[in-house]
Amino acid sequence: MKALQKLIEERVKPNFEEGGKLNRFWVVFDALETFLFTPGHTTAKGVHVRDGIDLKRTMFLVIVAMVPALLFGTWNIGHQYYLSIGEITTSDAWSVMFLDKVIVGAIKVVPLIVVSYATGLGIEFVIAGMNGHAINEGFLVSGMLIPLIMPVDVPLWMVAVATAFAVLIAKEVFGGTGMNILNVALTARAFLFFAYPKQMSGEIWIHDVMASKTGGVLADGYTGATALGHLANTVGQPVQGEVSNGVMAMFADGGMFSLMNCFIGNIPGSVAETSALAALIGAAILIWTGIGSWRIISSFIVGGLVMGVIFNALALNAYMTIGPVHQIVMGGFMFGAVFMATDPVSAAQTNTGKWVYGFLGGLFSIMIRVFNPAYPEGVMMAILFMNVMAPTIDHYVIESNIRRREKRLSASAAVA
Amino acid sequence: MSTDTATAVAPKKESLFSKKNRRLLTDPLDDSNPITVQVLGICSALAITVQVQQAVIMSLAVLFVMIGGNVIISLMRNIIPDRIRIIVQLVVIASLVIIVDEVLKAYSPDISEKLSVFVGLIITNCIIMGRLEAFALGNKPGPSMLDAIGNAMGYAWILLAVALVREVFGSGAISFPGMGQVKFLPESWFMANGGFYENNNLMILPPMALVTVGVIIWIQRARNRSLIEEN
């Protein structure tokens, strides 16, 4: 490692520095060098104490936290595929055809990741080169999150278009990394949701499910809809009606979407959003390393639970009778709570603000998904909405802080 | 240029197409564009840019109302009492808009239906009132007409640019008044027919019009740095 560093320092770097042959590509070299080695910069003015952990290390740790979800998602794509064509049944152990499942999953997931990174980093490199500033690594996490929240069979060019839109309109327009109002990955997802609704909802969550259907080989009783997609059908139906009872049977113990299955995540859904367990492992890593805000994650979950309890009490349709714990392990709720809501740029900045932000985010997630069947994935809408609200929340937190201090000041002045 | 016809309108002092007057025509296209720089008339720019044909008709309507309004107000500028000038302006604009509306209803009812209330809302288009107040009330009819044409054109090209982007990517088609909408993408491209392509539904929705106008503003300011505000 030392020898490698020496080689780069002495032989490669001068080419890129002022006067070198490849000076034009300095930003690219700088980005790669600081990614591999701790940068040797010192601050030019002001505080001289620097933490060893910089933006790149932070981003990298978030990616590490995403690995469980990614690995599980890869396996699950293959699992759902073989279920849908009837090669395995739900009673088979998870290890049956393990390698085949992972291969099918990898064939679908790797291109998504490659396209997302190529598009996003390409735009970042071009813009940094144009403006002559260092490439910042804000896209490392977004570029990984985008493929994880896509449906399996989404066309790759759509991923590229959505990524380009999100990076340009949600981030670069506002001044690049650290300045964005909205979460970049969710913007990409929302763009696809509204731009190509046919490819983003309905029975599209399993690799090749449409082809299998027309070919007539889909296993009996197997549908490609997500848990939320099924539940959306019960809105507007009587609680004990035929439709509701049919759907609710899937959510009872032993059903396809039982509490345990939803928690483990071996159900249809976006690439890596299905597993609440994997998201929780990620949450543990984020909280342990101090990178994700435990305030946001926990208040988000509490918000979802509270809304679930309220709906249980109302019980106006079958959707509302789903238990609160069941509600929050379905769909992308946990994934959103852990990886999306905690985005340090677009979330609230003050500690009190984080509680409010997380709580309302969780509350709205469940509310949107139950009230509006057209938007089954309420988490996306709720987090984007709270992103917009976050500065307002912070404003009021700071204002009340100022007022409290003023009151204390005038009280102590009166005593004196 | 055609100075002999111009001198007939504005005798002696200054030719109609003098350098100063030509700026009245060209400035609103870029440096003081009513939409991208003054940010006026945004509502209609967002609302009727789904198809090019609507944008063309809307632009023509605004062009007519602006020329008419500017010239009439400019002719009357010395006899309008200052206190009721807004009312006078409104009466003039409203009459012109009603003429446009009736003509559209008579000769192209389908487009009139698509534009719906937005023809009537030309009355409230800030660009028109703004030019009457800022220019026609203090200038002669000749320059007022040039100012009207310039501003209407500045409005029109933004409208057309946004409509073109939205229609091409949102509907995979292009339209023009009298020609109807022509879908130029082969049907076999679309996913429903086993292809790879899909129209971008977000382009049809109003938010994308806002983003498109924003991108135009971005490009314009990147090219013309004098427009960038200092904070």
Side-chain angles (χ1 to χ4, degrees), chain B residues 133-154:
Chain B
E133 273 286 294
F135 200 89
L137 272 178
N139 287 283
K140 291 185 175 153
S144 293
M145 191 174 80
L146 293 184
D147 182 73
I149 296 173
N151 276 285
M153 285 303 170

Side-chain angles (χ1 to χ4, degrees), chain B:
Chain B
M1 298 202 114
S2 55
T3 37
D4 39 9
T5 51
T7 43
V9 184
K12 287 179 211 163
K13 285 179 206 160
E14 192 180 16
S15 104
L16 183 59
F17 289 100
S18 68
K19 201 172 176 198
K20 194 179 124 214
N21 282 354
R22 256 181 290 151
R23 287 194 64 82
L24 292 178
L25 268 179
T26 54
D27 258 7
L29 297 183
D30 186 10
D31 283 3
S32 63
N33 188 286
I35 294 184
T36 61
V37 178
Q38 300 175 34
V39 197
L40 299 174
I42 284 284
C43 299
S44 55
L46 303 191
I48 46 89
T49 48
V50 175
Q51 291 184 2
V52 174
Q53 53 180 354
Q54 298 166 24
V56 171
I57 296 287
M58 187 69 178
S59 304
L60 290 176
V62 169
L63 180 68
F64 171 77
V65 175
M66 277 207 74
I67 295 179
N70 254 17
V71 171
I72 292 171
I73 292 292
S74 173
L75 286 171
M76 303 199 312
R77 68 186 186 281
N78 293 328
I79 53 167
I80 301 174
D82 209 31
R83 284 185 182 173
I84 57 161
R85 65 181 196 286
I86 302 278
I87 299 173
V88 176
Q89 289 165 13
L90 269 180
V91 170
V92 171
I93 298 172
S95 331
L96 290 166
V97 168
I98 288 169
I99 295 174
V100 169
D101 202 19
E102 293 298 319
V103 170
L104 275 184
K105 272 183 190 149
Y107 291 100
S108 91
D110 53 325
I111 289 195
S112 166
E113 206 164 283
K114 275 186 189 144
L115 290 175
S116 66
V117 294
F118 290 98
V119 175
L121 283 177
I122 294 176
I123 298 173
T124 61
N125 192 321
C126 314
I127 302 172
I128 297 173
M129 280 291 264
R131 290 332 289 173
L132 295 188
E133 273 286 294
F135 200 89
L137 272 178
N139 287 283
K140 291 185 175 153
S144 293
M145 191 174 80
L146 293 184
D147 182 73
I149 296 173
N151 276 285
M153 285 303 170
Y155 174 78
W157 86 257
I158 301 287
L159 229 63
L160 292 180
V162 175
L164 193 68
V165 171
R166 288 182 75 188
E167 188 165 21
V168 167
F169 291 105
S171 316
I174 192 94
S175 63
F176 207 77
M179 201 172 82
Q181 203 178 28
V182 182
K183 292 196 188 300
F184 57 82
L185 292 175
E187 281 295 317
S188 60
W189 279 21
F190 288 91
M191 279 177 180
N193 307 322
F196 63 92
Y197 188 74
E198 195 74 14
N199 281 324
N200 190 325
N201 195 47
L202 191 60
M203 280 287 177
I204 310 274
L205 304 173
M208 211 53 187
L210 190 71
V211 171
T212 314
V213 173
V215 170
I216 291 177
I217 292 178
W218 184 13
I219 297 171
Q220 191 189 14
R221 286 177 194 216
R223 292 169 44 116
N224 190 347
R225 299 238 157 213
S226 63
L227 292 176
I228 300 172
E229 301 94 343
E230 291 179 22
N231 6 290

Side-chain angles (χ1 to χ4, degrees), chain A residues 126-391:
Chain A
V126 169
I127 289 197
M130 271 164 53
N131 294 345
H133 57 63
I135 294 169
N136 41 43
E137 31 297 304
F139 193 70
L140 283 182
V141 168
S142 308
M144 194 53 144
L145 279 171
I146 290 171
L148 294 191
I149 51 174
M150 292 292 154
V152 185
D153 269 348
V154 64
L156 292 177
W157 68 268
M158 285 185 187
V159 178
V161 171
T163 309
F165 177 85
V167 171
L168 280 173
I169 303 297
K171 197 164 83 174
E172 293 303 335
V173 162
F174 292 102
T177 306
M179 308 294 280
N180 47 309
I181 295 171
L182 298 174
N183 183 306
V184 177
L186 279 182
T187 309
R189 169 79 202 232
F191 174 85
L192 283 182
F193 183 80
F194 288 106
Y196 306 106
K198 265 183 249 156
Q199 275 67 42
M200 292 301 287
S201 53
E203 305 194 348
I204 45 129
W205 305 99
I206 293 155
H207 171 47
D208 251 1
V209 73
M210 292 311 244
S212 314
K213 261 196 159 170
T214 44
V217 288
L218 199 63
D220 285 347
Y222 193 88
T223 69
T226 62
L228 302 179
H230 282 295
L231 280 172
N233 294 334
T234 68
V235 174
Q237 302 282 345
V239 180
Q240 291 298 336
E242 197 181 334
V243 177
S244 300
N245 284 343
V247 171
M248 292 311 281
M250 287 194 279
F251 288 83
D253 282 343
M256 181 177 173
F257 299 114
S258 66
L259 184 59
M260 200 57 193
N261 282 355
C262 288
F263 179 71
I264 304 283
N266 50 350
I267 51 173
S270 296
V271 170
E273 64 158 23
T274 55
S275 175
L277 178 63
L280 282 176
I281 296 172
I285 297 173
L286 287 182
I287 293 172
W288 178 62
T289 53
I291 286 173
S293 163
W294 61 272
R295 292 184 179 86
I296 292 178
I297 298 177
S298 50
S299 61
F300 201 94
I301 292 171
V302 170
L305 289 173
V306 166
M307 200 67 226
V309 169
I310 295 173
F311 277 143
N312 274 187
L314 291 173
L316 296 175
N317 57 32
Y319 207 153
M320 292 190 185
T321 60
I322 297 273
V325 177
H326 209 149
Q327 278 279 17
I328 67 161
V329 296
M330 281 190 309
F333 187 92
M334 289 306 258
F335 192 84
V338 175
F339 296 110
M340 299 294 183
T342 54
D343 174 1
V345 179
S346 55
Q349 307 292 321
T350 53
N351 280 345
T352 319
K354 282 176 181 167
W355 287 111
V356 177
Y357 166 91
F359 183 80
L360 289 178
L363 201 79
F364 287 139
S365 299
I366 305 293
M367 191 194 281
I368 294 170
R369 85 161 53 145
V370 172
F371 277 168
N372 194 339
Y375 298 153
E377 200 40 279
V379 179
M380 172 181 83
M381 305 290 177
I383 296 177
L384 285 175
F385 179 69
M386 291 316 292
N387 282 169
V388 175
M389 288 297 148

Side-chain angles (χ1 to χ4, degrees), chain A residues 28-53:
Chain A
V28 179
F29 173 77
D30 183 52
L32 294 176
E33 193 206 13
T34 50
F35 185 73
L36 295 172
F37 304 110
T38 307
H41 316 149
T42 48
T43 35
K45 55 181 180 180
V47 183
H48 281 261
V49 180
R50 284 169 72 100
D51 199 332
I53 188 160

